[in-house]
Structure formats: C-alpha cells, structure tokens
Amino acid sequence: MQYISHYQSPVGGILLAADETGLTGLWFEGAKYFADQLEPAHEEKDTPALEAAKRWLALYFSGTEPDFLPPIHLKGSPFRLAVWEILQKIPYGKTLTYGEIAKEIARLKGLPRMSAQAVGGAVGHNPISIVIPCHRVVGTDGSLTGYAGGVDRKAKLLALEKAEEGQGRKNREGVSNES
C-alpha cells in the first residue's frame, strides 16, 4: 500500500508518496511524469517516511543542506537504479553532466561507452525529485536542460544550493571523470 501527503514548497506544490519501506515518490505538481509510480490504490496518511521527507524538505528549502536522508524505496530497472545511485552521490551545491554519468555507467558495466541520451531518460524518470538530486545534472556546456519539473524550477533549486557548475567533480566519491 502506498500513502501520500502534500507539501507546499517555495517553488510549487509537491506530492509525496511512500510505502511501508520508505519514500517512493516526490513529484512537483504538473511535472512531466507526475505521479507516474503512484499506485491507483493509495491512502492520504502521514507515515514516518513521509514525515521524515517533510522535515528534509523544510531544511532544504530553508537553504540548509539536510544532514540526513528520509528512508527511500526505489523501484526501477537495473539501469535506472544504477543512474539514480550516481545521482545520490552528487554533492549539495555541485553539478555533474549527463556525459559524466554515462562514462561512469559504462565504467561500472565494463562497456566502452554509454549513451548520454539513455542516461537522460533515466534521470528524467527519477521518481524522488530533489532528495535524489536530478536537478544537479546539467548539459556538457553547463546548460540547464531536461528537468521534468521544469527548467525554471531547476534553476531555482540550483540557486538555492548556490551551485557552482563544474566545481567539486575532482573529489566526487564513486564518480570517475576519466575517459
């Protein structure tokens, strides 16, 4: 069973979803893939996972980097799960490109290369926006492309984090910058 709750953020309404294990969805109202992993049978009820997610969001939108993660329960293909795992390693206030993620996926899978477009598809279908920071993924030239919640929101989230494009990539744990 999934449970839902609503959160009003400075950049728009958010729908949160969780099951008994953890957070399963966090979508901006009107986003491209809004509630795409929400089960038809769900109930509006604050659960410990949803309450933790709301505390996390309150810290985040106050301009503070949260020092904890709410429990998360991701469901997806092995490829999407691998991409979402990399997203979780992008530090607060930093960015990574689709190409850099593609290189890391290729390295992990022992492949000569991986399509940045395939990575973009997985990033775009991230069901737990903000907490799994898909907004920190930018184009090769630093452009703000491909955010299901809208490029304007992406810009506002990065501004909130005072993100510096191209900073912090050398020491990013688990992400290789080598060709």
Side-chain angles (χ1 to χ4, degrees):
M1 169 66 98
Q2 277 186 312
Y3 303 95
I4 63 166
S5 190
H6 299 272
Y7 183 87
Q8 190 57 47
S9 82
V11 293
I14 292 174
L15 175 65
L16 299 156
D19 60 15
E20 293 79 10
T21 304
L23 194 62
T24 58
L26 190 159
W27 306 278
F28 283 106
E29 292 175 8
K32 186 172 183 180
Y33 302 109
F34 180 76
D36 71 339
Q37 288 195 13
L38 185 61
E39 296 170 1
H42 57 269
E43 177 183 330
E44 187 146 355
K45 175 183 172 184
D46 276 328
T47 65
L50 292 171
E51 289 172 358
K54 287 180 179 182
R55 284 193 311 275
W56 190 97
L57 289 167
L59 281 170
Y60 179 84
F61 284 114
S62 76
T64 302
E65 180 181 0
D67 60 356
F68 71 98
L69 275 178
I72 293 173
H73 186 196
L74 284 169
K75 296 176 185 176
S77 70
F79 176 74
R80 285 185 177 180
L81 290 170
V83 170
W84 299 339
E85 185 175 327
I86 291 171
L87 295 181
Q88 293 177 69
K89 295 177 183 176
I90 305 172
Y92 182 93
K94 308 298 181 196
T95 61
L96 199 61
T97 69
Y98 294 96
E100 288 171 317
I101 295 172
K103 285 180 184 176
E104 179 62 10
I105 293 290
R107 186 188 71 75
L108 291 170
K109 292 183 171 278
L111 300 171
R113 61 185 311 270
M114 172 59 60
S115 163
Q117 288 81 10
V119 166
V123 170
H125 283 86
N126 167 24
I128 305 177
S129 187
I130 309 173
V131 174
I132 297 178
C134 52
H135 63 280
R136 296 181 189 151
V137 182
V138 298
T140 302
D141 61 358
S143 60
L144 304 184
T145 60
Y147 189 58
V151 174
D152 288 346
R153 276 196 187 112
K154 183 174 191 167
K156 289 175 184 175
L157 295 172
L158 291 172
L160 176 72
E161 295 181 19
K162 298 172 180 60
E164 299 179 35
E165 192 279 322
Q167 299 297 311
R169 293 188 184 147
K170 291 180 183 173
N171 296 323
R172 191 179 321 274
E173 279 188 50
V175 178
S176 170
N177 291 316
E178 298 177 15
S179 299

